[in-house]
Amino acid sequence: MGAGNASSPLVRVERVSKHFGEGGSRVDALRDVSIDIFPGQVVALLGPSGSGKTTLLNVIGCILDPNSGSMELDGERVLESGRWLRSNLRQLRLDKIGFIFQFHNLIPFLDAADNVALVLHLAGADAVSARTRALELLEYLEVGNRKSSMPANLSGGEAQRVAIARALANRPRIILADEPTAALDSKRAGIVMDLLRKVAVDQDAAIIAVTHDDKIFDRFDRIFHLRDGRLDTETTGP
Ligand code: ADP
Ligand code: MG
């Protein structure tokens, strides 16, 4: 299943901590979390509500500032002792990271192809190459036939696959997903997980997904359990 540990990690988190608030209202959302994730791995973050899963995903995704710790993403040291090493985090995210959310977050007034092409425009692609790549991605996610559909006319599973196509637009090798299958029935959840596996294999990417979804536990190479902001245990997939 997952790649062996001979390669260097795609995501390296070293002793990262994050708290919200101060004094009596302080919440320690992450406490000294360390984790290494390798190319080709499909990884789950599991834990009760409030255990820090989304916080960890958002720190790895460079959308939340941690208080301490260091991090490497795709071979680049991006965080050192709680300080970002790049001033332009937006560019860092565009270059390295794809996000998938529980609800697809597609833009309602753009069709499927334009939802994907938009991300490519933002990254500087011209209209023709953005469109071409968007159509390729929709084919890859097996929703090419829905390219002209508006989000409201897509099924939940189709919309999530368009959202995955969008997350892959800039060829990130780190894909972060917060409850990607929670809104889907088990058949469609399985299809989405199979496609994420295909991405991990084809692009030598790492998929990190927060999930509560026991329908899909057997789809992960590694399962990390969070409890009160600490990485508790790791269990290995089947
Ligand atoms: P999970 O995703 O596992 O449910 P979170 O990472 O969202 O947990 O939250 C971890 C803890 O941090 C919780 O106690 C939550 O209330 C707190 N928390 C998360 N985000 C904020 C925020 N923006 N401000 C204050 N507290 C927050
Ligand atoms: Mg959460």
Side-chain angles (χ1 to χ4, degrees), residues 9-18 30-36 56 59-60 62 64-73 76-85:
L10 208 45
V11 175
R12 163 160 280 181
V13 175
E14 296 169 14
R15 308 198 60 170
V16 161
S17 295
K18 170 68 182 176
L30 294 176
R31 308 174 200 238
D32 253 355
V33 169
S34 298
I35 189 170
D36 276 347
L56 179 55
V59 169
I60 294 172
C62 310
L64 191 63
D65 300 332
N67 297 101
S68 59
S70 302
M71 207 159 63
E72 283 170 25
L73 298 179
E76 179 180 338
R77 197 139 183 101
V78 297
L79 180 81
E80 185 72 57
S81 305
R83 296 172 66 175
W84 298 110
L85 299 179

Side-chain angles (χ1 to χ4, degrees), residues 18-21 25 27-30 46-58 64 178-179 210 212 226 229:
K18 170 68 182 176
H19 63 262
F20 295 100
S25 61
V27 174
D28 288 282
L30 294 176
L46 196 64
S49 178
S51 58
K53 305 180 298 294
T54 296
T55 303
L56 179 55
L57 212 62
N58 287 343
L64 191 63
D178 203 344
E179 306 265 5
V210 167
H212 284 105
L226 275 156

Side-chain angles (χ1 to χ4, degrees), residues 133-144 161 164-165 168 194-203:
R133 170 111 177 106
L135 296 180
E136 266 173 34
L137 281 159
L138 292 177
E139 289 294 334
Y140 180 70
L141 275 301
E142 297 164 15
V143 281
R161 282 184 274 163
I164 295 171
L168 299 179
D194 286 344
L195 288 166
L196 289 174
R197 165 75 57 195
K198 184 165 90 162
V199 170
V201 171
D202 290 355
Q203 306 191 24

Side-chain angles (χ1 to χ4, degrees), residues 101-219:
F101 302 95
Q102 174 173 359
F103 301 103
H104 54 73
N105 289 354
L106 296 176
I107 296 173
F109 51 84
L110 296 178
D111 71 17
D114 284 338
N115 261 281
V116 179
L118 177 66
V119 180
L120 294 155
H121 281 303
L122 289 174
D126 64 76
V128 173
S129 55
R131 175 97 191 157
T132 306
R133 170 111 177 106
L135 296 180
E136 266 173 34
L137 281 159
L138 292 177
E139 289 294 334
Y140 180 70
L141 275 301
E142 297 164 15
V143 281
N145 60 329
R146 307 299 268 139
K147 62 178 182 280
S148 305
S149 299
M150 303 305 276
N153 297 323
L154 298 171
S155 72
E158 288 169 344
Q160 197 57 309
R161 282 184 274 163
V162 174
I164 295 171
R166 184 180 57 180
L168 299 179
N170 296 320
R171 298 187 170 80
R173 291 180 67 209
I174 300 165
I175 316 289
L176 305 178
D178 203 344
E179 306 265 5
T181 60
L184 305 178
D185 64 37
S186 57
K187 178 161 171 263
R188 288 186 177 76
I191 292 170
V192 164
M193 289 309 299
D194 286 344
L195 288 166
L196 289 174
R197 165 75 57 195
K198 184 165 90 162
V199 170
V201 171
D202 290 355
Q203 306 191 24
D204 223 11
I207 315 287
I208 307 173
V210 167
T211 189
H212 284 105
D213 194 349
D214 55 14
K215 300 190 294 287
I216 57 166
F217 286 160
D218 61 347
R219 304 306 187 103

